[in-house]
């Protein structure tokens, strides 16, 4: 039953789809636009790169912690109600980001923005089936997937254009009216929640332990070694508490028992390693292209958008290859392509100009699209029906942990290699050297993923 309003059923349904599409698009835009804001933030607040990293890390923390429970909370509180609440939180947090007088304020607002985005992404996916006929649910899912890819692809170019012409606050301010449009469309077009909702409860102990683990892990990757003596035990304690809480929970937050499956462990490890490599490209790109080639932020955004745009166009061909070659073969093909690309980023001569960065990035994102499509299909497809949702949650957690590692750990390594706290003051030679070493390490991580995936394939053939 749809929310009562004086519109035809078809118009109401289209308005609801508009709301879900905007929620998906905005959540991805908020993540990808922020990369182009970092150089301007460094200049505006005069803070080191270690502080700028947290603009990305805080958003990832908010998304990671809430994504795992948003679906269950929606079952208990009402999906429409929670989606509208999450959209409101996202919109207000975006305004707080634009008004931030300090980095601490901005980082806190980004965490709230990530929490709102988690509700928007999870519940948009859960509700799309209510707005399209059963025979067109695949089309509905594809629509959200396309908008997600578009948000990632458009973010850098839009962010660069807005920051260069209107200031660092502009990308965050843009999200406010768009969020309001999504909120109004949702109030009009989304189906009303049932009066009585039933669903499994969320274990608060597990959620607290997971949040503590992620926060300590993110801080651990972002600070000097002198703090590790306290943070490493804190991470270990949080992991122990999480496992202990989950074992005694009637409704576990994470299905840890499924990790006994070797294929799942390999798929999750590969997803985490690949995600850390990909987020590194978005983090390094703006500083490298500006500092080495003197490009404006608008040009930087256009160059960086090429990779995500190609990845968005590679999804369907990747699925076609998986159907014909098998998931394991396409996983290895994707990782092999990524390995060649990372080595290209580490070795291409500077005389090639920005093309020496763009061409390997295009190859890297093509490999990523191949890997992601095949790996997700293999991991989720191998799970039994009652466990597929749980396995999808583990994949999301692995990907977000990888992004967190790339944003905090590999990004911190890049800053250390450059040798200055403020990357805006770094020389072109230092940026070039830092980029090459960082992507050489990324190549090692990709090679590790390829080796593990190859070993898994050989074991599977031996069993067959």
């Amino acid at each position: 039953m749809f929310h009562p309003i004086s519109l035809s059923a078809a118009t109401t349904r289209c308005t609801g789809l508009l709301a879900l599409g905007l929620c998906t698009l905005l959540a991805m835009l908020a993540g990808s636009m922020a990369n182009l804001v970092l150089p301007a933030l460094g200049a505006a607040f005069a803070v080191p790169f270690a502080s700028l990293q947290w603009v990305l890390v805080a958003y990832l923390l908010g998304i990671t912690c809430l994504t795992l429970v948003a679906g269950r909370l929606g079952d208990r509180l009402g999906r429409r109600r929670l989606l509208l609440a999450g959209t409101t939180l996202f919109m207000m947090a975006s305004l707080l980001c634009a008004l931030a007088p300090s980095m601490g304020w901005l980082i806190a607002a980004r965490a709230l923005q990530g929490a709102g985005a988690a509700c928007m992404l999870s519940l948009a996916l859960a509700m799309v089936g209510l707005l399209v006929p059963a025979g067109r649910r695949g089309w509905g899912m594809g629509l959200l997937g396309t908008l997600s890819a578009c948000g990632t692809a458009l973010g850098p170019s839009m962010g660069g254009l807005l920051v260069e012409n209107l200031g660092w606050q502009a990308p965050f301010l843009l999200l406010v009216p768009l969020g309001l449009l999504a909120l109004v469309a949702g109030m009009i077009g989304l189906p009303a929640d049932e009066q009585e909702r039933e669903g499994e409860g969320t274990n608060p102990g597990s959620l607290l332990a997971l949040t503590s683990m992620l926060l300590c892990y993110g801080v651990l990757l972002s600070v000097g070694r002198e703090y590790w003596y306290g943070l490493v035990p804190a991470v270990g304690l949080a992991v122990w508490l999480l496992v202990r809480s989950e074992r005694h929970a009637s409704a576990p937050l994470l299905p840890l028992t499924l990790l006994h499956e070797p294929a799942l462990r390999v798929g999750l490890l590969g997803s985490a390693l690949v995600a850390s490599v990909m987020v590194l490209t978005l983090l390094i790109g703006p500083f490298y292209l500006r500092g080495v080639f003197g490009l404006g932020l608008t040009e930087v955004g256009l160059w960086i958008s090429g990779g995500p745009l190609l990845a968005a166009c590679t999804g369907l061909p990747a699925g076609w290859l998986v159907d014909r070659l098998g998931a394991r073969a396409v996983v290895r093909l994707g990782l092999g392509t990524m390995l060649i690309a990372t080595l290209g980023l580490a070795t291409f001569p500077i005389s090639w100009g920005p093309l020496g960065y763009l061409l390997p990035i295009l190859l890297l994102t093509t490999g990523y699209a191949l890997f992601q499509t095949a790996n997700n299909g293999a991991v989720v497809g191998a799970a039994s029906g009652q466990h597929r949702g749980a396995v999808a949650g583990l994949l999301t957690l692995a990907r977000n942990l990888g992004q967190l590692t790339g944003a905090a750990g590999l990004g911190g390594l890049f800053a250390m290699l450059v040798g200055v706290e403020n990357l805006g003051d770094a020389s072109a030679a230092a940026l070039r050297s830092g980029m090459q070493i960082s992507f050489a390490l990324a190549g090692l991580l990709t090679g590790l993923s390829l080796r593990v995936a190859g070993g898994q394939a050989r074991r599977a053939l031996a069993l067959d």
Side-chain angles (χ1 to χ4, degrees):
M1 180 178 180
F2 286 88
H3 192 274
I5 192 161
S6 56
L7 292 175
S8 69
T11 302
T12 304
R13 187 175 292 110
C14 289
T15 306
L17 285 173
L18 172 64
L20 300 185
L22 279 173
C23 285
T24 303
L25 179 69
L26 293 179
M28 302 310 295
L29 271 178
S32 60
M33 282 198 304
N35 300 287
L36 271 294
V37 180
L38 297 185
L41 287 175
F45 292 110
V47 294
F49 183 74
S51 297
L52 298 178
Q53 288 174 275
W54 277 92
V55 176
L56 304 183
V57 170
Y59 189 76
L60 290 172
L61 285 173
I63 283 187
T64 303
C65 295
L66 267 294
T67 294
L68 296 172
V69 299
R72 289 183 187 169
L73 290 175
D75 290 339
R76 292 179 64 83
L77 304 177
R79 293 172 183 168
R80 178 182 184 273
R81 183 179 297 114
L82 188 60
L83 178 61
L84 295 180
T87 305
T88 302
L89 176 62
F90 177 88
M91 180 178 62
M92 298 305 296
S94 300
L95 181 60
L96 289 175
C97 288
L99 298 176
S102 65
M103 281 299 296
W105 176 304
L106 178 60
I107 289 168
R110 282 283 286 175
L112 292 176
Q113 192 183 43
C119 295
M120 294 161 70
L121 288 170
S122 298
L123 295 170
L125 198 61
M127 294 190 72
V128 69
L130 302 175
L131 296 172
V132 294
R136 301 198 70 196
R137 285 181 182 171
W139 174 86
M141 295 292 184
L143 173 66
L144 295 187
T146 299
L147 289 172
S148 175
C150 287
T152 303
L154 289 173
S157 55
M158 288 182 60
L161 180 65
L162 290 171
V163 171
E164 189 165 50
N165 292 282
L166 299 174
W168 68 263
Q169 299 91 343
F172 298 115
L173 286 175
L174 174 67
L175 298 174
V176 177
L178 293 177
L180 182 60
L181 177 60
L183 182 64
V184 172
M187 294 174 67
I188 294 172
L190 294 180
D193 292 320
E194 298 175 7
Q195 293 299 316
E196 296 182 1
R197 307 287 303 186
E198 295 182 358
E200 291 181 329
T202 299
N203 184 1
S206 296
L207 181 59
L208 179 60
L210 176 64
T211 304
S212 301
M213 180 194 76
L214 293 171
L215 181 60
C216 291
Y217 180 65
V219 174
L220 174 67
L221 295 174
S222 306
V223 298
R225 293 182 180 179
E226 63 271 19
Y227 298 100
W228 288 8
Y229 297 105
L231 287 169
V232 171
V235 173
L237 177 61
V239 171
W240 179 80
L241 289 173
L242 176 62
V243 173
R244 185 175 183 274
S245 178
E246 288 291 271
R247 283 179 176 173
H248 296 88
S250 58
L253 181 63
L254 297 171
L256 298 178
T257 56
L258 296 179
L259 294 178
H260 295 300
E261 295 292 332
L264 178 59
R265 293 199 302 270
V266 170
L268 294 177
L269 176 62
S271 183
L273 291 175
V274 166
S276 67
V277 172
M278 294 308 298
V279 79
L280 181 66
T281 64
L282 295 174
L283 189 62
I284 287 180
F287 294 98
Y288 176 72
L289 293 174
R290 277 176 64 83
V292 174
F293 301 110
L295 302 182
L297 278 176
T298 301
E299 294 174 284
V300 169
L302 291 172
W303 282 100
I304 292 178
S305 289
L309 183 60
L310 182 60
C313 298
T314 309
L316 288 177
W320 181 86
L321 280 176
V322 170
D323 291 339
R324 281 150 183 80
L325 302 179
R328 291 192 182 95
V330 178
V331 162
R332 297 196 299 275
L333 175 62
L335 289 173
T337 304
M338 291 185 66
L339 177 59
I340 294 171
T342 53
L343 296 179
L345 284 164
T347 58
F348 272 17
I350 197 171
S351 59
W352 287 36
L355 273 177
Y357 184 83
L358 177 64
L359 293 178
I361 287 293
L362 293 178
L363 188 63
L364 185 69
T365 50
T366 300
Y368 173 71
L370 291 171
F371 167 83
Q372 192 78 349
T373 301
N375 189 63
N376 288 353
V379 171
V380 177
S384 58
Q386 67 269 28
H387 289 146
R388 285 185 179 176
V391 169
L394 284 174
L395 269 174
T396 300
L397 178 62
R399 184 178 65 249
N400 289 343
L401 279 173
Q403 291 176 339
L404 188 62
T405 303
L410 296 180
L413 174 64
F414 171 69
M416 183 183 72
L417 292 170
V418 171
V420 296
E421 288 191 346
N422 188 346
L423 294 187
D425 298 331
S427 67
L431 288 169
R432 170 75 177 170
S433 174
M435 188 274 291
Q436 289 179 308
I437 297 174
S438 296
F439 278 110
L441 177 59
L444 289 177
L445 294 178
T446 307
L448 174 62
S449 301
L450 183 59
R451 182 184 179 93
V452 171
Q456 176 64 24
R458 287 191 295 272
R459 285 191 293 271
L461 289 173
L463 290 174
D464 293 340

